Amino acid sequence: MINFIVVGNSKAVVVGVLQSIRTFTDAKAVVIGSEATAGLRWSSLCEGHSTLSFDGSDDDMFVNMVHSLVKRTPHMVLVPANPDAMRLTNRVRSRLPLKIVPVPDTATITTLQDARLFHQFCRQQLLPVPATCVVNAAADLDFHAIASRLGVPFTIRTATPCNKSVTQIVHNKEDLEKAALHSAFQHGALVCRAHIDGSDISMHLIADRGQISAFSMQQSDERNASRIRFVSNAALEETAMKLCRASAYNGPLHLRARIDRHTGNVFLLDAVPHFPESVTATVLGGLNLVAESIEPTPRMNGVRRLTEGVSHATHPLACPSLWSSLLSDSSERGRLLRVMMFDLYTLGQFVGGIPRTVFGGMARQIACWRAEKFSAAPRLQKSRGDTAAPAVNGNFVGDF
């Protein structure tokens, strides 16, 4: 029986949601996606796939698809997996005759996706963010002006969301000149932020009308990019709770932050309203965020936390330590491993990505060497946290 309709135009996110669903139920799922997800029609995780546009032009088609599925199988659940799917769902929610998992409203999605609005929101709510300024266009990037405001190194990213978010770190004028030529930076305003010298940390959560119900917190292993360590950080947890309360956040959210290695302070970098691509890593760790979104576990002790242990964000074929659990583990963890191992589509994606992984590892090694090289060079004094310093030239769109 088909019980779930997964909606989304990000292949990695949709695959993670489908895998997470299969670990706690044998019920089937169909996907309403885009050309990016069309290959899932060959996956055993997907009983059917339909393609449409997420820009609003196919909203009526989407409603008709849902009605047709619900007519054949009542009691279905709609699972919007990423921001475009959530926007689509919000536009036609009143016309959909089925249960929908919690998703944020469109205004909240816009605030979180637009780097300028997100920064403004964080400042209003006294949430910690790096010192930031906005440049109207790539042609207006001025190394000395930005460096005097933010220090070096600093980062550049697109202000509004695009198909593939791009962030460039700038150590010197030459870096900035190269970054200004990047194709992703040619279409609108850019956000420049002080680079926090430290380590990244992520938090994946489910919120119910402003209250966090479940979350995992993790960091990548510096020696093994596919290995994830679940950790605890009280400052990030408190910041996440404040953000969710202030925005009355509803649904899945991925927070990305950075810990200042000198002070231990935590600064928010991004808040993305979606199930993360690594959502299956939390299942392996013992917390199924998709299941929590569909049917929250009754909790007698408040928020469900996954803050210790180790997991993997890669195919089990690449992790010999997981092989013994493939047949012997009857929990959700074991079910997920079998789903990933025996779905030919998932296996094909892993095998096809091996060359990319190898070259990506080489690129990371080069980046680490380069970062160490520049870290030894004299730096301008950097403003680590956000300050109220004025804009330094006419190319900046103010200080928010």
Side-chain angles (χ1 to χ4, degrees):
M1 179 180 294
I2 298 174
N3 281 15
F4 301 99
I5 305 173
V6 179
V7 187
N9 55 359
S10 168
K11 180 175 67 176
V13 173
V14 171
V15 168
V17 170
L18 290 173
Q19 291 172 338
S20 297
I21 289 174
R22 189 62 64 87
T23 63
F24 70 88
T25 178
D26 291 325
K28 309 299 183 183
V30 296
V31 172
I32 298 178
S34 65
E35 290 299 329
T37 62
L40 284 168
R41 61 170 53 96
W42 308 110
S43 171
S44 60
L45 301 172
C46 179
E47 294 299 308
H49 184 284
S50 298
T51 300
L52 49 70
S53 172
F54 284 72
D55 63 4
S57 59
D58 288 340
D59 284 5
D60 290 339
M61 182 190 302
F62 173 67
V63 172
N64 291 335
M65 288 178 181
V66 172
H67 274 267
S68 177
L69 290 166
V70 172
K71 187 175 181 179
R72 296 198 300 267
T73 308
H75 312 299
M76 299 189 79
V77 178
L78 187 73
V79 186
N82 67 327
D84 287 343
M86 294 173 182
R87 290 176 182 274
L88 167 59
T89 300
N90 286 336
R91 288 196 299 267
V92 299
R93 178 184 289 272
S94 63
R95 301 161 60 189
L96 300 178
L98 79 174
K99 176 182 176 181
I100 304 171
V101 301
V103 296
D105 58 55
T106 299
T108 299
I109 295 172
T110 299
T111 296
L112 298 183
Q113 282 197 291
D114 188 306
R116 295 164 297 185
L117 297 178
F118 176 64
H119 186 85
Q120 290 172 354
F121 171 80
C122 289
R123 286 197 62 184
Q124 290 167 359
Q125 302 301 325
L126 303 180
L127 301 176
V129 287
T132 302
C133 57
V134 175
V135 177
N136 280 316
D140 295 330
L141 290 169
D142 183 320
F143 176 78
H144 295 293
I146 299 172
S148 66
R149 167 68 173 89
L150 305 178
V152 289
F154 57 85
T155 62
I156 304 174
R157 58 159 290 178
T158 51
T160 53
C162 56
N163 290 334
K164 188 68 175 179
S165 179
V166 175
T167 299
Q168 294 281 332
I169 186 167
V170 174
H171 297 87
N172 50 48
K173 187 176 181 180
E174 290 71 26
D175 282 350
L176 184 64
E177 291 172 350
K178 291 178 182 178
L181 299 176
H182 198 293
S183 59
F185 296 158
Q186 306 307 311
H187 308 286
L190 303 173
V191 169
C192 302
R193 292 193 294 206
H195 177 67
I196 304 299
D197 181 21
S199 56
D200 290 327
I201 185 170
S202 295
M203 184 172 178
H204 304 154
L205 64 86
I206 300 294
D208 178 13
R209 291 161 294 182
Q211 300 297 317
I212 295 177
S213 57
F215 74 85
S216 67
M217 195 178 295
Q218 59 267 336
Q219 290 183 296
S220 296
D221 190 319
E222 294 181 357
R223 294 170 295 181
N224 185 346
S226 67
R227 184 181 170 94
I228 291 174
R229 295 181 298 106
F230 296 107
V231 297
S232 177
N233 187 291
L236 180 56
E237 182 176 344
E238 181 181 358
T239 295
M241 289 182 172
K242 288 181 179 179
L243 185 153
C244 289
R245 284 197 300 267
S247 61
Y249 195 82
N250 203 37
L253 183 64
H254 173 201
L255 294 178
R256 194 169 66 89
R258 196 159 176 86
I259 304 173
D260 188 317
R261 75 172 73 256
H262 304 285
T263 65
N265 294 335
V266 177
F267 296 89
L268 282 180
L269 300 180
D270 298 293
V272 186
H274 71 163
F275 289 104
E277 295 182 6
S278 60
V279 66
T280 52
T282 65
V283 178
L284 292 175
L287 175 63
N288 192 326
L289 291 173
V290 177
E292 289 293 327
S293 179
I294 294 171
E295 196 64 49
T297 302
R299 48 186 59 82
M300 304 303 294
N301 299 313
V303 179
R304 289 197 65 191
R305 294 173 170 84
L306 175 55
T307 56
E308 59 182 19
V310 176
S311 186
H312 300 270
T314 188
H315 196 277
L317 193 62
C319 299
S321 62
L322 299 176
W323 294 353
S324 62
S325 300
L326 275 168
L327 299 178
S328 61
D329 192 337
S330 60
S331 68
E332 286 192 3
R333 183 174 185 270
R335 286 172 62 97
L336 174 60
L337 292 174
R338 291 187 285 277
V339 164
M340 297 174 73
M341 180 65 78
F342 300 120
D343 174 43
L344 294 180
Y345 176 82
T346 304
L347 181 60
Q349 292 293 301
F350 165 70
V351 173
I354 289 176
R356 211 164 43 244
T357 301
V358 172
F359 286 111
M362 292 172 61
R364 281 192 295 273
Q365 291 295 325
I366 294 172
C368 289
W369 169 82
R370 193 166 184 270
E372 291 174 0
K373 175 183 176 183
F374 280 105
S375 65
R379 297 182 181 179
L380 293 177
Q381 186 175 1
K382 177 173 62 180
S383 173
R384 297 187 182 279
D386 192 17
T387 67
V392 295
N393 70 23
N395 296 329
F396 290 151
V397 187
D399 186 43
F400 297 101

